[in-house]
Amino acid sequence: FLRGVVLEKTPDRLLIDVHGVGYELRVPLSTFYQVEPGVEVSLRVHTHVREDALQLFGFLTLLEQQLFEELIEVSGIGPKLAVAVLSGIEAPDLLAAVLRADVGRLTRVPGIGKKTAERLVLELADKVEDLAVGAAGPDGVGRGPGVQEAVGALVALGYSFVDADAAVRAALA
């Protein structure tokens, strides 16, 4: 976690001044668009360590950070591609595409081909179901706590997220 003033921003990076120390963070476009130079910002941070580099990745929301961390666990997806994925598709839409096995939607993200999209669906479907319960619905519409609880209860009973979400939406209609 970092809190500081945005000194510079480019579409893939922010430079944050934290009490006189500058931190460079790679960020998805969703974060880039919501921050302005000279304004204090609070970012969730993932630190990626390699033999030859120490990189910081920043996110405005917990959901984006969690998705990033799940994405980099998929074989063939590194941190740069994970940020590119989150830049090419909003977090709730990514959840929906994975849960619905919508390979076509995933291939529209720059850098993701058909095989990578299929691998994302295969490796992430079970892992992101819990994240989807608290996020916006698959159509991108936000949900109140009552809807989240109902979907969460159905998922806990063994229904898939997609089925539980559809049932709750049908009941509301």
Side-chain angles (χ1 to χ4, degrees), residues 67-89:
L67 282 172
F68 172 85
E69 290 171 350
E70 292 296 342
L71 284 167
I72 62 174
E73 294 296 320
V74 174
S75 61
I77 305 282
K80 288 182 185 178
L81 184 54
V83 167
V85 169
L86 289 171
S87 293
I89 184 171

Side-chain angles (χ1 to χ4, degrees), residues 63-110:
L63 179 60
E64 282 184 333
Q65 182 184 14
Q66 290 172 323
L67 282 172
F68 172 85
E69 290 171 350
E70 292 296 342
L71 284 167
I72 62 174
E73 294 296 320
V74 174
S75 61
I77 305 282
K80 288 182 185 178
L81 184 54
V83 167
V85 169
L86 289 171
S87 293
I89 184 171
E90 294 288 327
D93 295 336
L94 175 59
L95 284 173
V98 168
L99 291 170
R100 290 185 175 154
D102 188 352
V103 173
R105 174 64 181 106
L106 292 171
T107 57
R108 290 196 298 263
V109 175

Side-chain angles (χ1 to χ4, degrees), residues 23 26 54 66 68 77 79-80 87 104 110 114 122 132 135 145 151 155 160 172:
Y23 292 91
R26 292 181 181 264
L54 180 101
Q66 290 172 323
F68 172 85
I77 305 282
K80 288 182 185 178
S87 293
K114 185 177 180 191
L122 180 67
V151 172
V155 168
S160 74
L172 287 173

